Amino acid sequence: RENMDDALYGAKRFVRGLAKKVILANGAAKVPEIIYGAGASLCGSAAYWIAAVAYAMQIYFDFSAYSDMAIGLGRIFGFHFLENFDHPYRAKSVTDFWRRWHISLSSWFRDYIYIPFGGSRKGTFRTCINLFIVFSIMFPFVCSCTDRLIMKEMSKSTNCV
């Protein structure tokens, strides 16, 4: 019974994520594609603001959808993955935004790098060194993922100004 409940929950979660991706994220992606494709001479600043908001919505729904699909697929096969996304645009600070957007990534770096190096238990200097190590490892990873996303989006629009 428990396995069937997990499989049903996983299927629902996967379908919800797929719908977010296909309907919301892909729909939001069309707005900046049209505006940026029209060129600077045809669009005013209001259009570019609309494109920026639509692009932020596309990124949000893409990541939320992929998280839902991964959690749902995992549940179908009996795995229980942690939530990885908690309404980051409701954040009250940059730190809160990061925590809400990258829940499992942040937890992994904390649990497998920061704490084994001593965390904050060995004084201020060692804490700073440990934080430097974590961010030195994390920064290239996050930048490379972000860079690929930006380059993918820029390649769609050849008239980008």
Side-chain angles (χ1 to χ4, degrees), residues 14-68:
F14 182 84
V15 169
R16 184 176 68 193
L18 185 62
K20 272 188 208 177
K21 169 62 181 150
V22 171
I23 297 168
L24 299 174
N26 290 357
K30 292 178 187 201
V31 175
E33 192 174 304
I34 291 167
I35 292 172
Y36 294 142
S41 61
L42 300 176
C43 297
S45 62
Y48 284 109
W49 278 106
I50 291 169
V53 169
Y55 184 67
M57 289 174 54
Q58 176 199 357
I59 292 171
Y60 175 87
F61 286 122
D62 262 340
F63 196 80
S64 177
Y66 293 143
S67 292
D68 284 344

Side-chain angles (χ1 to χ4, degrees), residues 21 25-26 29 32-33 36 55 58-59 61-63 66 143-160:
K21 169 62 181 150
N26 290 357
E33 192 174 304
Y36 294 142
Y55 184 67
Q58 176 199 357
I59 292 171
F61 286 122
D62 262 340
F63 196 80
Y66 293 143
C143 287
S144 69
C145 293
T146 305
D147 185 48
R148 276 181 271 188
L149 177 65
I150 290 170
M151 295 309 287
K152 176 183 157 195
E153 292 302 317
M154 287 181 68
S155 68
K156 289 180 183 177
S157 173
T158 56
N159 296 333
C160 192

